[in-house]
Amino acid sequence: MGKKKPRPRRSFTPEFKAEIVELCRRGDRSIREVARDFDLTETAVRQWVRQAEIDEGQRDGLTSSEREELAALRRENRRLREDVDVLKRATAFFVRETR
C-alpha cells in the first residue's frame, strides 16, 4: 500500500472561510460534504466553524483577535529574549576584555 502524500499547506481568506461556515450552518449539507465539495479537509472546516462560534460568543475560547494578539506578544517576547541574550554575551565579552 502506498502512503498518502501530505497535502501542501494552503491559505484562505477570511471571506472564503466565512462562506464555508455559512454553508455548513444552513444544514442542507454536512460538514463532510462541504469539505469534500470544496476540496478542503474536514478538520479545517470543523475548526473554522468552531472558531466562528467562539468569535460570536456561542462557545468559550480565544477569539480570532485574541489569538492574533497572543501570537504577536509571543513573537515580541521571543525577540526580547534574544535581545537580552545578546546583551548578556556582550557584557560577558567586555568584562573579559577589560581584565
Side-chain angles (χ1 to χ4, degrees):
M1 291 273 182
K3 286 187 176 180
K4 271 187 168 180
K5 289 185 181 179
R7 173 178 256 187
R9 187 156 183 91
R10 300 180 293 173
S11 61
F12 302 97
T13 65
E15 295 79 16
F16 178 77
K17 291 178 183 181
E19 287 181 38
I20 297 297
V21 168
E22 183 57 35
L23 286 173
C24 293
R25 288 182 173 170
R26 283 189 196 150
D28 52 336
R29 290 190 283 180
S30 69
I31 289 177
R32 173 175 282 152
E33 291 170 333
V34 171
R36 186 186 61 232
D37 292 347
F38 287 88
D39 191 32
L40 302 167
T41 64
E42 188 177 342
T43 304
V45 175
R46 286 188 188 285
Q47 181 57 41
W48 296 348
V49 170
R50 191 175 305 121
Q51 189 62 51
E53 290 171 352
I54 291 170
D55 290 346
E56 294 165 0
Q58 299 172 0
R59 183 187 283 247
D60 288 338
L62 293 177
T63 64
S64 295
S65 61
E66 290 170 334
R67 284 182 182 278
E68 289 172 13
E69 181 182 12
L70 181 59
L73 289 171
R74 285 179 172 163
R75 278 191 304 272
E76 181 182 9
N77 195 9
R78 184 172 42 253
R79 186 186 55 77
L80 291 172
R81 287 178 192 272
E82 291 169 358
D83 290 351
V84 167
D85 189 46
V86 168
L87 290 172
K88 283 181 183 178
R89 283 189 259 137
T91 301
F93 172 79
F94 287 118
V95 166
R96 282 191 307 266
E97 289 294 314
T98 57
R99 288 188 181 165

